[in-house]
Amino acid sequence: MNEIRIVPFDMKYLGEYYHGFNAEITKYQWPDPFDRMDDAKAMLQEFLDEMQRGETLLYSVVSDKGAFLGSVEMHGLSGDCPELGVWIIQSEQRKGYAYAALNEILNVARSDYHKTAFFYEADIRNMGSTRLLWKFEDSYEIIRQELEETVTDSGKELKLQGYVLKAK
């Protein structure tokens, strides 16, 4: 596996983010692909503003050569159980990058923000995201929450399984 690193998101990755965050990536997620690049820029700027206020962590996942591979995020950082999110561009999935990125952001949250509990949610049909979660069971107690079936504003039917990860 090639090495990756996570770096605070920079708008220089806007185009890659916009094009990578497509219908396949968002198939089992609440958000939809962006209609326009300006929509992506506005949302990312909102996240960057939240990051400046200490409410969110937004990082790009980049290769050892600096290529954009995806995004890893943590929202609700001011609360007791911030929410994790990660996505990797389609062509780079199944290479361990999502695990490495989540592991890094968890380490940042634990060391810099003293967080010990995190919320992770995945649609039960998204087997890759569910398998990813269980790679953390040696370091975290994983507590299954109640299944939530919901319909997004755009009409996607989701079956979201939430989990709380508590540091051991």
Side-chain angles (χ1 to χ4, degrees):
M1 179 178 89
N2 295 324
E3 294 296 314
I4 62 106
R5 53 197 169 88
I6 63 171
V7 296
F9 184 81
D10 186 299
M11 284 294 181
K12 72 181 181 182
Y13 296 119
L14 174 62
E16 288 106 320
Y17 192 106
Y18 171 76
H19 292 293
F21 199 68
N22 60 31
E24 187 59 31
I25 292 294
T26 62
K27 182 177 181 178
Y28 295 122
Q29 294 183 14
W30 187 272
D32 290 312
F34 300 101
D35 290 331
R36 302 176 351 217
M37 187 143 356
D38 284 346
D39 296 336
K41 184 176 183 180
M43 186 209 67
L44 291 165
Q45 186 59 56
E46 197 174 302
F47 288 167
L48 289 172
D49 293 346
E50 290 173 5
M51 193 165 168
Q52 279 193 313
R53 294 191 302 266
E55 300 167 3
T56 292
L57 296 176
L58 173 63
Y59 290 98
S60 296
V61 181
V62 296
S63 73
D64 53 0
K65 293 179 173 60
F68 180 83
L69 301 173
S71 171
V72 63
E73 306 162 12
M74 187 175 292
H75 298 279
L77 200 54
S78 57
D80 292 336
C81 191
E83 184 171 352
L84 297 164
V86 63
W87 67 272
I88 301 296
I89 60 175
Q90 281 179 268
S91 62
E92 298 297 328
Q93 291 181 354
R94 294 175 187 78
K95 297 181 180 179
Y97 297 148
Y99 172 80
L102 276 178
N103 195 47
E104 283 297 311
I105 204 169
L106 286 166
N107 289 340
V108 168
R110 289 179 71 175
S111 65
D112 296 357
Y113 297 90
H114 312 291
K115 299 297 177 184
T116 57
F118 306 93
F119 182 73
Y120 180 88
E121 188 173 62
D123 190 288
I124 59 173
R125 296 163 294 181
N126 187 340
M127 296 309 296
S129 288
T130 301
R131 280 193 303 271
L132 172 61
L133 167 73
W134 292 102
K135 292 181 178 183
F136 290 94
E137 68 184 324
D138 289 343
S139 302
Y140 294 87
E141 176 186 2
I142 299 174
I143 305 160
R144 185 184 314 263
Q145 305 297 294
E146 191 172 318
L147 181 71
E148 177 188 356
E149 294 192 37
T150 189
V151 178
T152 69
D153 296 340
S154 67
K156 285 190 281 189
E157 295 180 16
L158 301 177
K159 299 174 183 197
L160 300 173
Q161 180 65 64
Y163 302 86
V164 173
L165 288 76
K166 285 192 177 180
K168 290 184 178 179

